[in-house]
Amino acid sequence: MKKWMSKNHKIGILMTVALTFVVVCLGVRLARNDPDEAETYHLIFIPKTIDPANGFWTALIDGAKLGAEEMGAEIEVMGAGAEEDVEEQIEIIRQSMEKEPDALLVAPGDYSEVSDVLQEVVDAGIPLILLDSVIDRDIAVSEIGTDNYRAGKELGEYAATLIDGEGEIGIVSHVKGSSTAMERSNGICDGMGEASHQIRSIVYCNSSYEKAYELTKDMLNRYPQISLLVATNEYGAIGAARAVNDLGLAGKVKMVGFDSSVEEIQLLEMGVFQAIIIQKPVNMGYLGVEQAIHVLNGKKAEPKLDSGSKLITKENLYEDENQRLLYPFSGQ
């Protein structure tokens, strides 16, 4: 009898263990299928550059990180040392594919040169979201950025009022071949209307403060009739403004530009800039992550989203809404 009880006891223990195992496995499976149980997705964001000195890119990265944190995703940022280094960005995109991310967010450095490698991303089954700039192929599930043509046109319309049909105009653009440079320049020229015929010189600074500075000094020395400068991104705007200051031409040569670094805002307050078009990079980064998560959760992404822009002058600089746009993380 004792032997029989021992055997049954062992059978009971084995049945209990087996039942426990089934329950645990079933619980895990149910948890995986539970729509309320959020999966942690691994995203990679590749901006044109990682430059701590650049307010636009740091804010865009912060926006993407904020979106990932709020949506329970992990995000890794990989970027080139300079915006103009398209070859480095292409290599970084290839490196990112080896990590097999759930989705890839990219700010392409060129309109056509990065298209082939981004096609490889899509062909590998990795959802692609484009931020800030676009390419010559319609392969991304979503494109989020400033409406650069519209923003450029608004800036051009304002700039035309500063010269009143007199004087010449110089444009300090950023990277030749990038979609943002092309769209903004087209918008600026259309916004200026007849005044666009007064454009005397267009230079490309390759998103370098130093190069923008040197090119602007050279331009103003060669064409002393220039009375208005238009810059198409933060690097061009800051470099050109420093040159204008050093040449003693602040206020004499009117200036308008894109972006809103701390230095740009200070130069606007000082009267070196008459206006700046500020983008909304925090929105851009946040919306990019949001669209990636939508796709990964089986929802439909928005094919195109305008993250917004705003013309800021000395007259509206201190309005509460504009202060919040200029200092999004200040707690104002």
Side-chain angles (χ1 to χ4, degrees):
M1 183 72 175
K2 184 176 181 184
K3 195 171 184 180
W4 181 84
M5 288 292 291
S6 174
K7 184 177 180 181
N8 278 275
H9 182 66
K10 288 178 181 178
I11 292 172
I13 291 173
L14 288 172
M15 289 182 65
T16 302
V17 170
L19 182 60
T20 302
F21 178 76
V22 170
V23 170
V24 169
C25 289
L26 182 60
V28 169
R29 181 174 293 180
L30 288 172
R32 285 177 178 169
N33 294 329
D34 185 353
D36 295 327
E37 186 75 21
E39 184 175 348
T40 301
Y41 295 114
H42 176 220
L43 314 177
I44 294 180
F45 173 37
I46 303 175
K48 292 180 183 177
T49 181
I50 297 177
D51 181 359
N54 184 281
F56 175 80
W57 290 114
T58 55
L60 202 160
I61 292 169
D62 286 344
K65 288 180 177 178
L66 177 63
E69 181 182 351
E70 290 191 0
M71 298 171 213
E74 296 175 352
I75 191 162
E76 180 179 358
V77 181
M78 304 168 64
E83 278 194 31
E84 66 176 314
D85 200 340
V86 178
E87 288 300 319
E88 184 181 0
Q89 187 182 58
I90 290 172
E91 180 57 32
I92 290 171
I93 292 170
R94 288 206 168 96
Q95 291 171 9
S96 73
M97 290 175 64
E98 295 175 1
K99 298 187 176 189
E100 299 182 346
D102 292 304
L104 189 63
L105 294 79
V106 181
D110 188 89
Y111 183 64
S112 57
E113 285 188 42
V114 298
S115 297
D116 285 345
V117 71
L118 291 179
Q119 184 70 61
E120 293 175 23
V121 170
V122 174
D123 291 345
I126 301 172
L128 173 66
I129 293 89
L130 297 183
L131 300 181
D132 177 64
S133 301
V134 296
I135 57 173
D136 58 4
R137 301 181 195 181
D138 187 18
I139 57 176
V141 295
S142 184
E143 298 173 356
I144 300 102
T146 303
D147 184 334
N148 287 293
Y149 175 82
R150 186 177 65 80
K153 187 175 182 182
E154 185 176 9
L155 190 64
E157 290 171 349
Y158 183 86
T161 67
L162 299 174
I163 53 174
D164 197 26
E166 298 180 359
E168 296 179 340
I169 302 166
I171 296 180
V172 182
S173 191
H174 47 294
V175 178
K176 193 172 186 178
S178 69
S179 65
T180 52
M182 293 187 287
E183 292 165 3
R184 291 173 194 177
S185 294
N186 290 338
I188 288 165
C189 290
D190 288 351
M192 285 183 173
E194 290 297 318
S196 64
H197 298 301
Q198 296 165 241
I199 296 174
R200 189 72 175 85
S201 178
I202 301 175
V203 296
Y204 293 89
C205 70
N206 288 332
S207 286
S208 162
Y209 297 115
E210 294 76 15
K211 191 168 184 179
Y213 177 87
E214 295 299 334
L215 288 171
T216 302
K217 283 186 72 174
D218 179 67
M219 183 195 298
L220 293 174
N221 285 326
R222 290 174 62 194
Y223 308 113
Q225 298 305 310
I226 286 178
S227 58
L228 172 66
L229 286 174
V230 183
T232 62
N233 79 346
E234 179 180 328
Y235 292 103
I238 293 298
R242 290 171 182 171
V244 166
N245 259 340
D246 287 354
L247 290 171
L249 296 174
K252 298 176 184 176
V253 173
K254 306 296 184 183
M255 292 195 70
V256 296
F258 267 77
D259 295 325
S260 55
S261 68
V262 172
E263 186 172 354
E264 265 184 276
I265 297 167
Q266 292 171 340
L267 289 165
L268 178 63
E269 291 174 319
M270 293 163 56
V272 178
F273 280 103
Q274 277 62 55
I276 55 176
I277 280 277
I278 66 169
Q279 302 183 75
K280 299 179 181 179
V282 174
N283 284 9
M284 199 182 298
Y286 188 96
L287 289 171
V289 170
E290 182 181 63
Q291 293 307 302
I293 299 299
H294 279 344
V295 171
L296 294 171
N297 284 336
K299 299 177 183 177
K300 186 177 179 181
E302 293 289 341
K304 293 184 186 295
L305 282 174
D306 177 11
S307 50
S309 62
K310 184 75 180 287
L311 181 73
I312 305 293
T313 65
K314 198 170 183 179
E315 288 68 38
N316 68 8
L317 173 62
Y318 299 107
E319 293 177 7
D320 288 344
E321 178 188 353
N322 293 339
Q323 285 289 297
R324 286 192 292 270
L325 292 173
L326 291 165
Y327 305 103
F329 292 110
S330 67
Q332 294 188 53

